[in-house]
Amino acid sequence: MQRRDCIIVKIKFITTGGTIDKVYFDAKNEYEVGPPQVADLLHEANVTFEFEIESVLRKDSLDITDADRELIRQKVAGDPVTRIVVTHGTDTMVQTARKLIGIPGKTLVLTGSMQPARFRVTDAEFNLGTAVAAVQALPPGVYIVMNGQIFDPLRCRKNVADHRFEEIPPTDSILPA
Amino acid sequence: MQRRDCIIVKIKFITTGGTIDKVYFDAKNEYEVGPPQVADLLHEANVTFEFEIESVLRKDSLDITDADRELIRQKVAGDPVTRIVVTHGTDTMVQTARKLIGIPGKTLVLTGSMQPARFRVTDAEFNLGTAVAAVQALPPGVYIVMNGQIFDPLRCRKNVADHRFEEIPPTDSILPA
Amino acid sequence: MQRRDCIIVKIKFITTGGTIDKVYFDAKNEYEVGPPQVADLLHEANVTFEFEIESVLRKDSLDITDADRELIRQKVAGDPVTRIVVTHGTDTMVQTARKLIGIPGKTLVLTGSMQPARFRVTDAEFNLGTAVAAVQALPPGVYIVMNGQIFDPLRCRKNVADHRFEEIPPTDSILPA
Amino acid sequence: MQRRDCIIVKIKFITTGGTIDKVYFDAKNEYEVGPPQVADLLHEANVTFEFEIESVLRKDSLDITDADRELIRQKVAGDPVTRIVVTHGTDTMVQTARKLIGIPGKTLVLTGSMQPARFRVTDAEFNLGTAVAAVQALPPGVYIVMNGQIFDPLRCRKNVADHRFEEIPPTDSILPA
């Protein structure tokens, strides 16, 4: 018989920037990574689980360095919360995800969006929703959740031309991201 | 070591109506359950998994009858797809979910929204995202996914006053929905 | 040569309800006329003219009575501001507009929307914009501004089937609304 | 007595780019001026007047040159339509407006937006609404319509720091934009 305890979990959100947080600054005539949109998105979704948000970086993911990735890893490893969602730009999400492999006892989900959260039509709410469910339902490990799919970071890549993430065919799986 | 095959799953969406599908008809001066919003929402989210959508009912969930629930159960049981999301009005989602318990080999997730999908601010995209990830990540069984949480339908209820779903305290768990 | 003083005018907004203000109440499973949306819409449009908002009624326009129309007329006639926008349901907007004819020295513009302001796709912002410009640019008189057009209330009607306002052909112009 | 013929006018929209048309290109990680948003905005507003849209430029207004302005002037002067709305970036809208002064028999209204039309919260719909009403209601001349106000281009400027247009105080009115 079905038997599952609906324990109310706590989720930690670590934000690093990326398209999901991009806003438009009229004064500069350009977009920039703004404050994390996660808080607004969770509020609009009326979520009832306990959560914390920590803004670690505010960068386009093409600008994220190895030192930045080490910082993210330290933040994740040192956090007492075991279920962590990392919002991140899509261009180097795979690289960062791979750097986070091997932290015991934690379910880590990386997500982001292809269109800024403030757009009228955006994948931000949906993607954050998938990340929130995945981080609760999956066993410890590191996952990328994009385009409605759950990927192993060692076996997926961003398909820039097609604006989506995809699995790497088995024969290519040794290749760097 | 981490090892997970990113099999591209197929998801079936069975729609029954509810607030998520409510549109506004100027000619009638009122909201009504319109065509399923799931297709538009999945398109906007740019999902890449394979899916099918079947509109079984177009009802406010207060109007869903036992015969309707039997119909939904038959549709679910008879469908070859093993991962199924049912969109449903929130008021009687728990009752319908309980009627779906016991179908072997299928992961069923019920979701919906408190504000219509066509609103500028709505929980529809987020909730659909949580359902999509949950239906892929969870073992066979029946689940309600609302407010960012995964509930056992035997142990949750809608808190109408607070506009959210919540776990039923253990001492009340025998009570009907 | 062109010569126009850009006097910053004051605009009064009198709200009476209608679709523009309709929100969705999950607890009741239905929409209702909520608080006036004009304040939020003007804020989002970042307007810089001086304005006041007064909520006189909160009704579906099919429920507006002759006594209500007399109240609106008194409010308009007694207001020291000479440029007034009245937001109103579309079904009886023409009747109310006709009751407001003959107040000297005032430019009155009635507008509303066919889809609630809180929808992701709505005519509310655009219609309010047209009303705001029309009330500043037009000479004293009563006008209906809908569907991007400026109508004489004695010579227009709502075409319910086509969800729009239209001019009454000259031969029909004696007919009541 | 009130007497106004509700002649259905034809409006020409000439688009030149600017923030109103900025979309986000994931592949380039940046915003760019995309196709004109006017058609979508007018469709969503369900307008019923006759109109034409012509895309003359697709530029950030800081990149608009004197040659571009001459091109816009030729397009406006040569167009048989007498009521013309020009959508334009805000940074040099005043300069372009001044170049359009002196074309006889035409009502020209320039507008744009501070936030892209595709954002969930934007001034684009409202501003386009104000322009549409102003171009119908105002006598021949050149006008800037922004922030809900109608400005004489010889006597207004963009206040970049405050993200709005404003009247130039009389003593400064000789100054170039």
Side-chain angles (χ1 to χ4, degrees), chain D residues 88-104:
Chain D
H88 197 285
T90 56
D91 285 300
T92 68
M93 187 186 288
V94 172
Q95 285 95 309
T96 299
R98 291 178 182 179
K99 290 282 184 189
L100 298 176
I101 293 174
I103 302 173

Side-chain angles (χ1 to χ4, degrees), chain A residues 39 79 106 109 136-137 157 175:
Chain A
D79 202 295
K106 290 187 187 291
V109 172
Q136 293 178 70
R157 63 186 173 203
L175 297 181

Side-chain angles (χ1 to χ4, degrees), chain A residues 19 22-24 26-27 29 31 44 60 62 90-91 114-121 125 158 160 163, chain D residues 19 22 24 26-27 29-31 44 60 62 90-91 114-121 125 158 160 163:
Chain A
T19 296
K22 280 185 182 163
V23 294
Y24 184 78
D26 172 68
N29 261 309
Y31 76 87
E44 291 173 9
D60 189 309
L62 290 173
T90 56
D91 285 301
M114 297 287 192
Q115 291 289 315
R118 292 204 184 168
F119 269 49
R120 189 154 61 147
V121 175
E125 296 104 332
K158 181 179 177 183
V160 175
H163 311 299
Chain D
T19 296
K22 280 187 183 163
Y24 185 77
D26 172 69
N29 260 308
E30 61 187 346
Y31 284 98
E44 291 174 7
D60 189 309
L62 291 173
T90 56
D91 285 300
M114 297 288 191
Q115 291 289 316
R118 292 205 182 167
F119 269 48
R120 189 153 62 148
V121 175
E125 296 105 331
K158 180 177 177 183
V160 175
H163 310 299

Side-chain angles (χ1 to χ4, degrees), chain B residues 52-176:
Chain B
E52 281 177 13
I53 300 171
E54 181 175 356
S55 172
V56 172
L57 297 170
R58 270 201 195 187
K59 288 191 172 185
D60 189 309
S61 79
L62 290 173
D63 300 327
I64 287 183
T65 65
D66 283 349
D68 292 330
R69 293 197 170 88
E70 183 54 34
L71 173 65
I72 297 169
R73 186 180 171 97
Q74 287 173 12
K75 288 283 183 184
V76 168
D79 202 295
V81 179
T82 59
R83 299 181 184 278
I84 300 178
V85 172
V86 178
T87 61
H88 196 285
T90 56
D91 285 300
T92 68
M93 187 186 288
V94 172
Q95 285 96 308
T96 299
R98 291 178 182 180
K99 291 281 184 190
L100 298 176
I101 292 174
I103 301 173
K106 288 186 188 291
T107 301
L108 308 179
V109 172
L110 289 86
T111 195
S113 70
M114 297 288 191
Q115 291 289 315
R118 292 204 183 168
F119 269 49
R120 189 153 61 149
V121 175
T122 171
D123 49 340
E125 295 105 333
F126 182 90
N127 291 355
L128 190 63
T130 53
V132 161
V135 85
Q136 293 177 70
L138 292 171
V142 182
Y143 309 89
I144 284 178
V145 178
M146 287 293 294
N147 302 104
Q149 294 193 55
I150 300 164
F151 294 103
D152 176 343
L154 290 177
R155 299 184 57 191
C156 76
R157 64 188 172 202
K158 180 178 177 183
N159 181 326
V160 176
D162 291 348
H163 311 300
R164 60 184 175 81
F165 280 68
E166 63 188 10
E167 197 180 359
I168 302 173
T171 54
D172 302 341
S173 64
I174 314 298
L175 297 182

